[in-house]
Amino acid sequence: MRKLLCALALLLTACGQQAPDAARAAGNALTPATSPSPPGTKAHAAGIDWFDGSVEEALSTARSQDRPLFLYWGAEWCPPCNQIKSTIFVREDFIARTRQFIAVYLDGDSAGAQRWGDHFGTSGYPTLIVLQPDGTELTRLSSGMDGARYPEVLDLALARNRPVPQLLATALSAPGELAIEDWSLLALYSWAADNGRSLPVDQLPETLSRLAASCPPQLPLLRQRLQLLAAIALLDSEQALPEGVTALLSGITASAEAVRLNLTELQYYGADLLARSTNPGAEEREQLAGQLRRVMQSVFADDSLPIKQRLLTTRLLIDLAELEDMGRAPDLQDLVRQRARWADEQATSPYLRQSLIYNAAWYLHDVGLSQEALAMFEAELERAVSPHYYMSYLSTIEEDLGHADKALTWARRAWEKASGPATRTQWGTSYALALIRLDPSDTASVKSAVVQLLDEMQAGGDGFYQRSFKRMRRLNAALKDWSDSQDAQRRAVAAELRTRLHQMCRVDLGEGDACEDFA
């Protein structure tokens, strides 16, 4: 009952209403999400009690003990993973909630991890999943939520104990049957990490729009969020955005609570939504851009927020400037230079540095300060958690500057420094793709790199699964294009390599359609 009252308080607060007096009297009033450090969020000395054993053993233990599971899928080098480690996994309130679960830390480079990635339908790192004791998935947590939301969503998922696909089906057929808690779970679900588990990816924009239309009017913040997610889901398509997107953005930016709830989405997609909005007048567009800037400046000035969330405001400022062809204006360059210096000074722990220094350096490159970006990345190599990650950015910047030899040197070094089977597959593929792109006439080097990569994959044992499978599809497509040449040797090498890819895929995945692209 205490958890239910707390969860209800969460939802009512998220919807702009007052929490019930009964909950306040019981001492269960929700700490507003605008406070990142409510009582009890100091780092717990013991940390999360991660399960010591295999995923199979964790699933078996969950069934035998009738305990739900919390699954974290991540990687050592992944910046958002390090952001979660440095801000969420150290919160005492989150740690306390995880005591109810069998907590499983599935590193993407551990044995069999990519196969388990396929089993759980993960996509990118990090993916955070809540499962019932029998392994049925309940929900997925967004890696971009405000920190205070994480423990509350865990409470909510357990209190309702209804998988998101069930909630979705009810919302579309009989929305009146859903409780407030259910609408909150739908609005806070990580649709970006759903990966087709709850519905096909191409149905996401329409489905989110229908959810927004069905969301009760007394839940304006949740309805607003669903509308925003529906618009974002359309950005990768050729469909026009609905006419109300500018009004939606205006409404969100007018509310500090709505900004907090949708901060990550605004930072990454605000400028794209503004650019793609249907028929906004020049004055309206300018006013909204100005409002977005003011909101981001206010967020950056809020020292109660995590450093990463504050730094990410720079992303939207750069994107808005680019819309006005001012992406390299001196005042913007000065701002980005100041922000990069600030991030470098503020990020004192290894996890925190891994989570945000690449942002700061890349923003320098974005606004034309490429030499400063290169210097910042190179300075980080000696102390980085995963230096190969920064080397890949060094390669990209050198390629953007037209320095093919330097770009290939950094790409090769990144592969050499990478460790773990899935990570080495990813960075080995990146090097092979760089060779094909930047030095396509060097047939011997392309063949040598791809053969080494495939040899490692066969020895590593995780093969054509999840992220590695996606990398092999990209490599196969590049080899196919590379073979469209008058060079007979190149065509022969490409055919040889693609034949091996096809054979390896069939060994791992069988005779189904998954391997047909390699034929």
Side-chain angles (χ1 to χ4, degrees):
M1 180 59 69
R2 289 173 62 86
K3 291 178 184 176
L4 283 171
L5 288 172
C6 187
L8 182 59
L10 154 69
L11 293 161
L12 293 178
T13 302
C15 298
Q17 301 176 14
Q18 293 297 314
D21 290 340
R24 295 184 185 278
N28 288 314
L30 171 75
T31 303
T34 51
S35 172
S37 301
T41 57
K42 185 178 179 181
H44 193 285
I48 296 174
D49 185 17
W50 297 108
F51 183 80
D52 184 14
S54 67
V55 177
E56 295 96 330
E57 291 168 337
L59 290 166
S60 176
T61 301
R63 286 191 295 270
S64 64
Q65 296 182 4
D66 195 29
R67 290 174 62 191
L69 293 97
F70 169 70
L71 175 77
Y72 164 71
W73 155 269
E76 186 73 13
W77 54 264
C78 154
C81 303
N82 283 282
Q83 169 70 2
I84 286 192
K85 291 175 185 176
S86 63
T87 58
I88 306 303
F89 288 176
V90 297
R91 291 178 63 108
E92 190 174 84
D93 54 353
F94 184 81
I95 293 169
R97 297 310 197 281
T98 64
R99 303 299 185 211
Q100 306 168 83
F101 296 84
I102 302 293
V104 181
Y105 189 140
L106 181 57
D107 186 279
D109 282 307
S110 59
Q114 297 303 314
R115 298 189 190 204
W116 279 113
D118 272 345
H119 174 82
F120 289 113
T122 59
S123 52
Y125 301 132
T127 300
L128 301 96
I129 307 176
V130 179
L131 303 116
Q132 292 174 325
D134 66 357
T136 300
E137 182 175 320
L138 283 173
T139 193
R140 299 188 175 207
L141 283 67
S142 170
S143 62
M145 286 194 300
D146 182 272
R149 300 279 180 209
Y150 286 88
E152 294 156 356
V153 172
L154 289 183
D155 280 347
L156 195 55
L158 292 185
R160 297 306 295 164
N161 198 32
R162 295 185 63 188
V164 161
Q166 289 184 15
L167 296 177
L168 180 61
T170 303
L172 297 177
S173 61
E177 295 181 7
L178 290 185
I180 295 174
E181 297 94 332
D182 300 325
W183 284 108
S184 191
L185 280 169
L186 288 170
L188 295 175
Y189 180 68
S190 183
W191 294 103
D194 181 74
N195 203 26
R197 300 289 276 192
S198 300
L199 77 162
V201 175
D202 59 356
Q203 296 179 20
L204 184 58
E206 179 186 358
T207 302
L208 288 172
S209 293
R210 291 175 61 190
L211 286 177
S214 299
C215 188
Q218 65 267 32
L219 309 177
L221 286 181
L222 300 186
R223 172 181 280 196
Q224 201 176 48
R225 176 167 175 78
L226 289 166
Q227 290 172 332
L228 179 65
L229 294 176
I232 290 171
L234 283 171
L235 288 175
D236 286 335
S237 73
E238 297 181 358
Q239 300 179 54
L241 299 187
E243 292 187 2
V245 169
T246 50
L248 174 65
L249 288 174
S250 181
I252 290 174
T253 56
S255 163
E257 193 174 6
V259 168
R260 192 70 173 241
L261 184 62
N262 302 290
L263 181 55
T264 297
E265 289 77 17
L266 290 176
Q267 289 169 331
Y268 280 105
Y269 304 107
D272 287 339
L273 291 170
L274 182 59
R276 290 272 302 274
S277 295
T278 306
N279 298 324
E283 183 176 353
E284 180 184 7
R285 187 185 297 273
E286 184 177 349
Q287 289 177 349
L288 185 51
Q291 178 63 11
L292 286 167
R293 286 191 178 94
R294 288 189 291 274
V295 166
M296 291 301 108
Q297 294 287 10
S298 176
V299 169
F300 180 77
D302 185 353
D303 60 9
S304 72
L305 284 169
I307 297 171
K308 178 67 172 274
Q309 286 186 316
R310 295 170 67 189
L311 179 63
L312 285 176
T313 60
T314 315
R315 173 73 276 151
L316 181 54
L317 296 179
I318 293 172
D319 291 344
L320 290 171
E322 289 178 349
L323 286 182
E324 301 170 354
D325 294 325
M326 298 289 288
R328 300 195 174 190
D331 58 342
L332 180 64
Q333 290 181 328
D334 287 342
L335 174 67
V336 172
R337 188 181 285 116
Q338 292 169 12
R339 296 277 181 91
R341 189 181 305 117
W342 171 82
D344 193 20
E345 294 170 352
Q346 294 293 316
T348 55
S349 71
Y351 283 152
L352 187 55
R353 295 192 70 82
Q354 186 72 18
S355 77
L356 62 84
I357 291 299
Y358 85 100
N359 290 109
W362 189 255
Y363 295 158
L364 290 169
H365 177 56
D366 262 352
V367 298
L369 302 175
S370 300
Q371 294 305 319
E372 294 180 40
L374 289 169
M376 190 171 191
F377 276 125
E378 288 198 57
E380 195 66 18
L381 295 180
E382 291 300 319
R383 55 180 169 179
V385 172
S386 302
H388 73 274
Y389 188 77
Y390 295 96
M391 291 175 183
S392 62
Y393 277 90
L394 286 162
S395 175
T396 300
I397 293 175
E398 294 289 11
E399 182 175 348
D400 288 348
L401 295 175
H403 305 154
D405 288 345
K406 290 182 179 180
L408 286 172
T409 297
W410 280 119
R412 178 75 198 191
R413 286 187 62 187
W415 184 19
E416 291 169 350
K417 288 289 186 181
S419 61
T423 296
R424 286 195 57 77
T425 294
Q426 180 169 339
W427 264 264
T429 303
S430 294
Y431 175 63
L433 292 173
L435 273 173
I436 293 170
R437 186 171 62 251
L438 298 176
D439 197 4
S441 62
D442 189 352
T443 304
S445 292
V446 171
K447 179 177 180 179
S448 175
V450 175
V451 167
Q452 180 184 344
L453 172 63
L454 298 185
D455 285 347
E456 285 190 13
M457 288 185 68
Q458 284 188 308
D462 239 5
F464 277 56
Y465 295 93
Q466 234 308 308
R467 294 172 63 89
S468 298
F469 175 73
K470 295 175 183 177
R471 295 302 183 282
M472 291 304 98
R473 288 186 64 180
R474 287 183 58 192
L475 177 60
N476 179 68
L479 288 170
K480 186 176 181 180
D481 291 341
W482 182 64
S483 68
D484 292 338
S485 163
Q486 299 302 314
D487 187 321
Q489 184 184 15
R490 186 188 302 183
R491 290 199 303 271
V493 168
E496 176 187 344
L497 295 174
R498 293 186 63 218
T499 296
R500 184 173 177 189
L501 280 166
H502 186 220
Q503 292 171 344
M504 289 175 62
C505 182
R506 289 176 61 186
V507 168
D508 287 337
L509 304 183
E511 300 289 341
D513 295 338
C515 299
E516 288 307 305
D517 286 347
F518 300 98

